[in-house]
Amino acid sequence: MRKFFTILLLAVMVASITAACGGGDDATPTPAALNVEGGLPATAMEIAAARGLTPDDIAAALKTYTPSGKMDEYMLFLSGGHSGNVIAAGVPSMRILKNIAVFTPESWQGYGFGSKETEAVLDAGNVGDVKIRMGDTHHPALSETDGDYDGQYLFINDKTNARVAVIDLRDFETKQIVKDPLLISAHGSTFVTPNTEYVVQGSQYNTPLGWEYAPISEYKDKYRGTITFWKFDRSKGRIIPEESFAVEVPPYWQDLCDAGKRASDGWAFCNSFNAEMYTGGVEQGNPPFEAGVSQRDTDYLHLVNWKKAEEAINAGKFETIKGMKVLRIPTAVAEGVLYLAPEPKSPHGVDVSPDGKYIVVAGKLDPHVTVYSIDKIQQAIDGKQWTLDEFGIPILDFDAVMMAQVELGLGPLHTQFDDRGYAYTSLFLDSAVARWKLGGDDPNGYVLVEKTPVQYNIGHIAAAEGDTVNPDGKYLVALNKWAVDRFPRVGPLLPQNIQLLDISGDQMKVIYDMPMGIGEPHYAQMIKMDKLSPWDVYPEVGWDPIAQAPAEHATKAGEERIIRNGNQVEIYMTVIRSRLNPEHVELKKGDHVAWHITNLETAKDATHGFQLGGYNISLSIEPGETTSFEFEAVNDGTFAYFCTEFCSALHLEMMGYMFVEP
Ligand code: CUK
Ligand code: CUA
């Protein structure tokens, strides 16, 4: 069917191009004439000719164009990078659907602008007395059941402050932020174990645990990393810090992690890139970090048996540091929890194949990806084929655990999989995506098949369900770091260029460019749309979305009231098209005000916003939601509050006055 379509298109194109190039009669419009006079061209042929579209362009347009009211096949969850959030978009249309606020206050969603519930979520991520209101999100991870996305939750990390957030996909809102008490920053996060038992977080720029002060001269003695296993309780929709634990690792600068699945279920893998334990100091005449950490030919893949770690923790073999259970290195080694395997020069991503049998590590400065076999790893462990590093951790023999090395090109970073036995690896320096064959247990079966250029300097890639046990193939997204000349000029800070590739055919094809002007999406995951079943409205009127339960201060119609108790004022307000009730709020300067608003609407999309000028309050009250905010009435005067979503023809009338008497 698709082939037929392509042939038909080609025929149409050939006809139109021939016509446009003067092969037709006098009535044939030229491209220039079409643009200058008479408005837009009308027929498909004329449009193609006028816009200079090639047959490939037309095919790409037909593959991605999504008419009004038609739905996308996949949902793409992109990390929002430095914006500290997560972006949901449709595939193949690449239309942005929601910019989910996570680590950064966002006023449209009323996240962190007064609402007590969301302020509490953000405050849980504070560091000591410092309010943290920024973040750098890197790796979103959808919750999994048996290694497959189940569409229930999404996790995302903040690299800068070593935090992990939980987003509930019933309402696409952030419910929890946890701060790792041992790490000040972390990178290899988030990755989930096959049944979302744990959310994995690996460290990066190592410090003493708990980021205590220690001079750099004490690097080898005191600086350490961890692989943290955050326990997730699906029924509560929360990470349970008291049931979480960390495995201590040497200060090798852990980088990216991935959880094992199927054949490798029970393992987590993290690469590293400073086995030199180089400590820098360019200002003192030392070589800079970039040279110092790239001296050796190999770094270490960390292999962590989390099931054994869990047993050791349950047997009480941990130390508690800053409230976190920690399996120290000697215990982790004695319990068979921690191993290392050499990996070639300056490795980057780690990705486990769908069957869990193979672990792919890319080498930033090596044109190969290295494929390890879990069977071989197990045999090397059983046969004690190892030497010890200076912390006493077994380094498995490279030749014993390595299955194949595949030369792909310059700067391989990250790998994804499809349903046809192909792996896809991003090539940063080549600005390309490589498609290669997974050879199973045949070392010669690993072959580069083709490379497709992308624009430019690609980081991660995300294929449809491409890191699960059941990848779909079909689509792959290239998350490019540079856009350079792809879009109209917007000054010196350019968007990233997210490109959609069709990987269903014999040749990969770029079919869409999507500028991402909201931070740098490092990684994304793509889930089949029908696995998601979000709510249209909250289950009942008077709902607390953070608790996902009826709200304590829910207000029914007719029960609106203002209660004064000394200088404590409590306001119970309702909103419904097109009024706020009450419309007059009388306060005295110095009052402490607790204000609760319930949206009585039960109709889809009937959200009311609420903003109060001069008090930094912005709320989004979705149908059925109750939200609360508190403030001291420090500014006297006459203030207006009003709805901020154009909800009805009388939206502008949805307002009230707050009087603060001096
Ligand atoms: S890292 Cu950005 S390209 Cu944070 Cu996953 Cu590899
Ligand atoms: Cu409610 Cu506008």
Side-chain angles (χ1 to χ4, degrees):
M1 181 63 191
R2 224 188 38 191
K3 222 171 213 146
F4 168 75
F5 225 117
T6 315
I7 290 166
L8 184 75
L9 260 171
L10 284 171
V12 167
M13 281 306 304
V14 169
S16 75
I17 288 168
T18 321
C21 293
D25 54 35
D26 289 353
T28 308
T30 65
L34 279 163
N35 275 336
V36 177
E37 299 156 21
L40 290 170
T43 69
M45 281 186 283
E46 287 169 350
I47 296 165
R51 301 191 69 204
L53 301 180
T54 66
D56 269 357
D57 294 337
I58 295 181
L62 290 178
K63 285 173 186 169
T64 56
Y65 175 67
T66 307
S68 181
K70 287 261 177 351
M71 301 298 154
D72 279 303
E73 198 180 343
Y74 289 90
M75 180 93 75
L76 182 67
F77 290 100
L78 297 136
S79 87
H82 329 75
S83 71
N85 55 22
V86 166
I87 295 139
V91 173
S93 77
M94 304 304 276
R95 296 179 297 195
I96 290 182
L97 303 167
K98 189 171 183 187
N99 178 22
I100 307 168
V102 184
F103 294 108
T104 311
E106 202 280 331
S107 59
W108 166 56
Q109 290 158 81
Y111 186 76
F113 286 95
S115 131
K116 271 185 83 171
E117 299 83 359
T118 62
E119 296 278 3
V121 170
L122 283 161
D123 280 342
N126 289 346
V127 176
D129 292 334
V130 180
K131 248 185 193 241
I132 306 289
R133 290 296 184 268
M134 51 73 63
D136 184 7
T137 58
H138 277 237
H139 308 104
L142 286 153
S143 58
E144 294 180 7
T145 300
D146 294 330
D148 232 333
Y149 300 154
D150 55 37
Q152 294 184 355
Y153 294 96
L154 181 74
F155 307 93
I156 185 77
N157 72 316
D158 162 28
K159 170 172 174 170
T160 311
N161 305 289
R163 301 181 297 172
V164 169
V166 180
I167 297 164
D168 188 332
L169 293 177
R170 284 174 293 183
D171 61 359
F172 284 51
E173 289 190 5
T174 303
K175 305 300 173 189
Q176 185 187 25
I177 293 175
V178 290
K179 165 81 193 97
D180 194 314
L182 302 174
L183 309 173
I184 191 60
S185 64
H187 181 245
S189 177
T190 52
F191 300 92
V192 297
T193 55
N195 282 299
T196 323
E197 299 94 336
Y198 292 98
V199 183
V200 182
Q201 172 173 282
S203 54
Q204 186 158 82
Y205 304 125
N206 306 123
T207 66
L209 294 185
W211 63 96
E212 308 264 289
Y213 171 79
I216 198 76
S217 56
E218 296 178 1
Y219 189 79
K220 279 190 197 178
D221 285 345
K222 297 214 170 135
Y223 286 51
R224 291 292 179 271
T226 71
I227 313 298
T228 302
F229 292 86
W230 291 108
K231 177 77 188 166
F232 184 64
D233 183 332
R234 204 187 276 269
S235 65
K236 295 195 176 88
R238 290 290 186 277
I239 284 169
I240 312 293
E242 309 78 60
E243 294 174 27
S244 306
F245 64 88
V247 177
E248 181 189 33
V249 292
Y252 292 155
W253 285 11
Q254 293 71 33
D255 188 20
L256 256 286
C257 303
D258 198 5
K261 46 179 163 285
R262 299 238 157 124
S264 51
D265 188 9
W267 289 91
F269 308 97
C270 304
N271 75 290
S272 65
F273 61 104
N274 186 10
E276 294 84 353
M277 291 189 278
Y278 185 64
T279 56
V282 70
E283 71 290 346
Q284 290 147 29
N286 297 331
F289 274 119
E290 60 169 328
V293 302
S294 310
Q295 298 164 64
R296 294 179 34 154
D297 283 337
T298 54
D299 288 284
Y300 296 125
L301 176 64
H302 296 44
L303 307 110
V304 181
N305 189 321
W306 62 263
K307 289 205 170 154
K308 286 200 171 165
E310 195 180 46
E311 283 168 24
I313 294 285
N314 289 339
K317 296 179 181 168
F318 58 85
E319 278 177 37
T320 302
I321 304 176
K322 307 253 161 183
M324 178 68 89
K325 291 172 188 159
V326 183
L327 212 54
R328 303 305 296 249
I329 292 174
T331 321
V333 171
E335 298 295 317
V337 168
L338 183 60
Y339 300 89
L340 303 169
E343 38 182 23
K345 255 187 157 5
S346 224
H348 193 45
V350 188
D351 297 282
V352 179
S353 64
D355 57 13
K357 288 185 177 170
Y358 309 99
I359 301 114
V360 180
V361 172
K364 281 179 307 210
L365 302 180
D366 178 332
H368 299 87
V369 288
T370 302
V371 183
Y372 301 80
S373 143
I374 192 68
D375 283 350
K376 288 178 162 238
I377 288 169
Q378 207 58 64
Q379 284 161 21
I381 290 172
D382 294 344
K384 295 193 171 20
Q385 287 173 277
W386 64 55
T387 54
L388 297 179
D389 81 341
E390 59 185 281
F391 298 90
I393 306 170
I395 308 170
L396 303 177
D397 179 64
F398 181 63
D399 293 326
V401 296
M402 192 264 289
M403 173 57 69
Q405 289 193 293
V406 201
E407 185 168 343
L408 299 179
L410 299 180
L413 295 185
H414 298 288
T415 299
Q416 294 267 294
F417 305 91
D418 73 3
D419 55 340
R420 295 190 286 163
Y422 290 124
Y424 300 81
T425 299
S426 53
L427 302 172
F428 179 82
L429 297 174
D430 271 353
S431 287
V433 177
R435 170 189 266 173
W436 51 284
K437 192 90 199 149
L438 276 173
D441 283 341
D442 170 16
N444 298 317
Y446 292 80
V447 253
L448 172 65
V449 179
E450 59 157 325
K451 287 199 251 185
T452 292
V454 290
Q455 291 75 34
Y456 303 91
N457 297 359
I458 180 173
H460 275 274
I461 49 179
E465 310 224 345
D467 61 1
T468 70
V469 296
N470 277 317
D472 282 9
K474 237 169 168 172
Y475 298 113
L476 180 141
V477 165
L479 297 108
N480 305 313
K481 306 294 187 187
W482 290 49
V484 191
D485 57 0
R486 294 291 106 170
F487 304 112
R489 295 152 74 195
V490 289
L493 179 61
L494 273 62
Q496 265 80 37
N497 183 17
I498 311 304
Q499 287 179 309
L500 179 67
L501 279 76
D502 172 1
I503 56 166
S504 62
D506 293 340
Q507 255 205 325
M508 298 182 278
K509 285 209 159 90
V510 173
I511 55 173
Y512 201 87
D513 276 26
M514 176 206 210
M516 182 57 68
I518 326 170
E520 176 183 337
H522 278 262
Y523 182 44
Q525 286 191 335
M526 202 191 300
I527 179 175
K528 199 90 203 273
M529 201 63 90
D530 61 18
K531 286 187 176 177
L532 297 164
S533 44
W535 291 331
D536 286 330
V537 299
Y538 283 110
E540 47 184 277
V541 170
W543 192 258
D544 174 349
I546 301 296
Q548 295 288 43
E552 190 188 343
H553 299 287
T555 310
K556 292 201 172 79
E559 293 181 357
E560 299 85 357
R561 61 202 182 275
I562 300 176
I563 303 164
R564 174 175 285 281
N565 209 329
N567 67 345
Q568 306 287 315
V569 179
E570 195 126 12
I571 301 163
Y572 292 84
M573 174 181 266
T574 61
V575 293
I576 190 162
R577 281 163 289 172
S578 301
R579 73 177 69 104
L580 298 148
N581 185 1
E583 291 182 339
H584 293 165
V585 170
E586 314 258 2
L587 300 174
K588 295 194 174 61
K589 187 169 178 169
D591 278 347
H592 179 86
V593 184
W595 193 321
H596 317 289
I597 308 181
T598 298
N599 182 348
L600 300 175
E601 304 274 2
T602 53
K604 186 173 179 172
D605 208 1
T607 293
H608 299 287
F610 179 93
Q611 292 187 341
L612 173 59
Y615 277 91
N616 203 37
I617 303 293
S618 179
L619 312 174
S620 172
I621 319 154
E622 282 98 63
E625 176 172 349
T626 295
T627 189
S628 300
F629 61 100
E630 282 184 43
F631 64 95
E632 308 290 331
V634 288
N635 294 326
D636 56 55
T638 305
F639 300 85
Y641 53 82
F642 40 85
C643 176
T644 50
E645 290 272 339
F646 213 110
C647 53
S648 74
L650 297 174
H651 152 76
L652 292 174
E653 286 74 4
M654 240 183 127
M655 73 83 65
Y657 283 109
M658 177 177 91
F659 310 93
V660 183
E661 208 182 310

